[in-house]
Amino acid sequence: MWYLNQLAGEFLLSRVDFVSERKLAGCGRVALSIFLMLCFSVGRNGATEPTVTDPALVDMGRRTEELQQLRFGMFICWSFSTFSGMEWTRDIESVDFFQASGCDTDQWCRTAKESGMGYILFLTKHHDGFCLWDTQTTDRKVTESPLGIDVLAQLRESCDKYGIKLALYFSEGEWRWPGPRQQNGGGLKPEMKKSQLKELLTQYGPIQYIWFDHAIGTGGLPHDETTAWCKQLQPECFIGFNHGDQASADIRLGERGRPGPLDDQTAAGPHMRDAPGSKYRLAEFTYPIQPSRPKGAKWFYSHPDNDDVCLSAEKIYADYLGAEKYGNIYSLDIGPMPDGQLRPIDVATLLKVGQYVRGEIKPPPLPISQGQSSSASSVWQLNQNYGPRAAFDGDPSTRWGAEEDSRSGWLAVDLGQPITIDHAVIDEGDWDRVRRFELQFLQHDQWKTVSGGTTLGPNKELKFEPVQSQHFRLNILEAKDVPTIHEFTLW
């Protein structure tokens, strides 16, 4: 039966009317009909429902390898927050607030395919409770909005058309649910949570994994029960939680995380402050394609002022290589615009990443300082997510922060051997805290200054006469608030 189920799953993803001769050589129409009746049934949205089998019989080693082979995916965040410009959008009563004028899931999947991605991670419901599928549990759904489309069903078809796998994001709780308030105001409605998960896992085909957002609580169904319920419906679906109890999780999620080995819990990012799960099989990490900016949301489409703001293809490709190195899966968040299409700058950037992945173009060299051993005068609240490594990881969304109440501090890097350097780029972002600084190198056990100034801001470039040293540091002599640096690169 396991083999039949696997063939049925492959049949599903192909979305064709006949099974290939290679898989079912010699089968006649009658045998094929019997085969299909045994292996699956068709849900009301046209997607197949996987046969429920004993989770204990799932080959988790095989499933882990299958997910690792996906490597790189597109995290689609599209909901009320696309139209509010805020990350969390509370107190919206009418679904008419979702004013999408189109929905081009083919563009999403085509771009993913051409960018070297293996899957799409789709936001089905955020904390506001607006469902992006045609749920029967509530009228607070996309099919009741002006768009009137079951977006998840359409995405499933596009994924199958382009050979892309599908994973789902799901907020465990909702602000509007009744009962005692959990963290950040989430209510309790465990039976509703179970009903919605049942729809998602029985009517939209095979789901690779579910990314559970624990930001406003469990919704009344604890993590171990959530995992057991999902496994009952789709035993091969991996389950992960961005924080909270990790005991039942198959996959370690990394909200604003980075590439890293499975035994490095800090790679899961600043939101994961929980003990690691004993059942982890692999690690995922995700962050937005748009760097932090003063206006708009980050995970959703942000603001017209940011339409030309995007991480570089080189940064994205470097993390793709990091995911490959550690056996991670890497979900890059993209927020479609109100018209349901990806931003042009995102498409252009991702297509360039695809060229790097396929070896069609050669990426430029990385900064000499990236990934090198680092140190600092102090660290914010002793939290290593704000440690010196964050300023040398090539990720502008992470940052080093000095200790509380400090108004000065230093950030140093050890290049491993003496190297000639003639310029540096320092990214303070929009914090505007530094008021006096020096760039220094170590020579004969003494720090010598090669450049300096008063303010830094975003991507301050410093050029100077070439100097050779193994050790360099940014010495912040004066700041109006706690010093913090996103990136410190040497070239």
Side-chain angles (χ1 to χ4, degrees):
M1 178 59 74
W2 174 84
Y3 179 66
L4 293 179
N5 285 339
Q6 288 305 112
L7 288 179
E10 293 176 7
F11 176 88
L12 264 181
L13 291 177
S14 68
R15 310 291 286 189
V16 296
D17 295 327
F18 297 99
V19 177
S20 68
E21 293 180 0
R22 179 174 62 86
K23 290 185 172 64
L24 289 176
C27 287
R29 292 182 180 272
V30 174
L32 176 59
S33 299
I34 294 173
F35 169 79
L36 296 178
M37 290 172 62
L38 285 172
C39 291
F40 61 84
S41 59
V42 178
R44 61 182 175 84
N45 288 306
T48 51
E49 300 179 6
T51 302
V52 177
T53 59
D54 184 353
L57 300 179
V58 173
D59 185 341
M60 293 298 286
R62 173 185 58 81
R63 282 293 296 136
T64 301
E65 290 178 1
E66 289 173 351
L67 286 178
Q68 286 176 325
Q69 289 170 5
L70 297 179
R71 185 70 64 231
F72 184 33
M74 182 184 293
F75 184 9
I76 291 285
C77 287
W78 198 47
S79 190
F80 280 169
S81 291
T82 302
F83 301 90
S84 71
M86 298 182 293
E87 217 69 74
W88 286 9
T89 305
R90 299 175 183 259
D91 304 321
I92 301 298
E93 294 298 325
S94 174
V95 295
D96 289 351
F97 188 82
F98 187 75
Q99 287 286 334
S101 59
C103 179
D104 196 347
T105 55
D106 269 5
Q107 186 220 22
W108 306 350
C109 293
R110 183 173 60 253
T111 302
K113 188 71 171 181
E114 293 174 357
S115 304
M117 293 175 164
Y119 66 97
I120 282 182
L121 170 61
F122 180 66
L123 182 145
T124 60
K125 182 190 72 169
H126 205 226
H127 315 321
D128 47 57
F130 179 66
C131 299
L132 274 294
W133 78 98
D134 188 23
T135 179
Q136 301 305 298
T137 64
T138 177
D139 289 335
R140 199 171 174 79
K141 58 184 178 178
V142 67
T143 48
E144 295 292 330
S145 76
L147 184 65
I149 295 172
D150 185 333
V151 178
L152 180 57
Q154 183 171 305
L155 176 59
R156 172 84 264 178
E157 293 182 2
S158 294
C159 283
D160 293 346
K161 177 179 177 180
Y162 288 94
I164 298 292
K165 304 292 186 181
L166 181 62
L168 302 179
Y169 163 105
F170 183 87
S171 174
E172 294 193 77
E174 296 181 20
W175 289 310
R176 296 164 56 90
W177 281 354
R181 298 291 96 180
Q182 293 189 294
Q183 58 199 42
N184 294 314
L188 307 176
K189 213 166 185 180
E191 292 306 314
M192 171 79 89
K193 179 180 175 182
K194 290 176 68 175
S195 295
Q196 291 183 343
L197 289 172
K198 183 175 182 180
E199 290 179 345
L200 293 172
L201 290 171
T202 61
Q203 296 175 11
Y204 294 91
I207 303 303
Q208 301 304 305
Y209 70 96
I210 300 184
W211 204 105
F212 280 107
D213 194 333
H214 182 62
I216 62 171
T218 65
L221 191 71
H223 285 179
D224 58 346
E225 295 181 35
T226 298
T227 299
W229 176 248
C230 293
K231 294 290 188 179
Q232 176 183 332
L233 299 167
Q234 276 206 41
E236 294 196 334
C237 179
F238 272 40
I239 305 300
F241 306 91
N242 63 338
H243 47 78
D245 180 16
Q246 300 293 305
S248 65
D250 303 303
I251 182 171
R252 188 190 73 202
L253 303 182
E255 182 177 352
R256 291 193 179 276
R258 57 177 170 78
L262 191 54
D263 60 3
D264 180 3
Q265 192 75 341
T266 66
H271 299 282
M272 181 67 81
R273 299 183 179 181
D274 309 279
S278 61
K279 298 181 180 179
Y280 285 158
R281 306 287 305 197
L282 78 164
E284 180 257 19
F285 64 94
T286 181
Y287 54 76
I289 196 171
Q290 178 180 274
S292 296
R293 286 296 184 269
K295 293 181 180 179
K298 305 300 182 294
W299 294 90
F300 297 85
Y301 174 78
S302 178
H303 189 280
D305 285 358
N306 300 329
D307 280 353
D308 294 326
V309 177
C310 184
L311 294 178
S312 70
E314 292 70 33
K315 152 66 182 168
I316 295 166
Y317 179 61
D319 278 347
Y320 169 88
L321 294 178
E324 187 173 52
K325 175 181 178 180
Y326 294 112
N328 304 151
I329 56 175
Y330 168 24
S331 308
L332 182 63
D333 170 64
I334 316 290
M337 300 182 293
D339 65 0
Q341 292 204 334
L342 305 181
R343 300 187 309 167
I345 191 171
D346 294 338
V347 174
T349 300
L350 291 174
L351 294 182
K352 187 176 181 182
V353 173
Q355 290 182 295
Y356 287 145
V357 170
R358 292 186 296 273
E360 296 170 1
I361 57 175
K362 185 177 180 180
L366 297 175
I368 295 169
S369 53
Q370 186 164 318
Q372 300 286 7
S373 177
S374 56
S375 58
S377 54
S378 61
V379 173
W380 174 263
Q381 297 181 343
L382 300 179
N383 183 343
Q384 288 308 305
N385 288 309
Y386 295 98
R389 179 171 59 182
F392 299 96
D393 61 1
D395 184 351
S397 68
T398 62
R399 56 191 170 97
W400 162 72
E403 64 186 347
E404 294 176 272
D405 300 323
S406 62
R407 295 297 182 270
S408 63
W410 53 263
L411 182 62
V413 62
D414 179 347
L415 300 180
Q417 61 183 352
I419 296 178
T420 300
I421 301 294
D422 63 7
H423 74 282
V425 178
I426 303 169
D427 181 11
E428 189 193 15
D430 297 307
W431 297 99
D432 189 32
R433 294 178 176 181
V434 174
R435 288 296 173 265
R436 190 160 59 94
F437 72 92
E438 294 177 341
L439 180 64
Q440 301 176 316
F441 69 100
L442 191 64
Q443 187 177 72
H444 305 306
D445 296 325
Q446 289 187 336
W447 287 106
K448 296 189 175 182
T449 299
V450 294
S451 185
T454 53
T455 59
L456 286 171
N459 297 315
K460 178 81 169 184
E461 186 168 12
L462 305 172
K463 295 184 177 181
F464 43 85
E465 291 297 318
V467 296
Q468 186 178 65
S469 179
Q470 180 174 331
H471 301 274
F472 289 80
R473 77 174 183 181
L474 170 64
N475 191 18
I476 299 173
L477 303 170
E478 182 183 344
K480 68 176 186 179
D481 204 336
V482 177
T484 187
I485 300 295
H486 286 277
E487 286 294 303
F488 175 17
T489 60
L490 297 172
W491 303 82

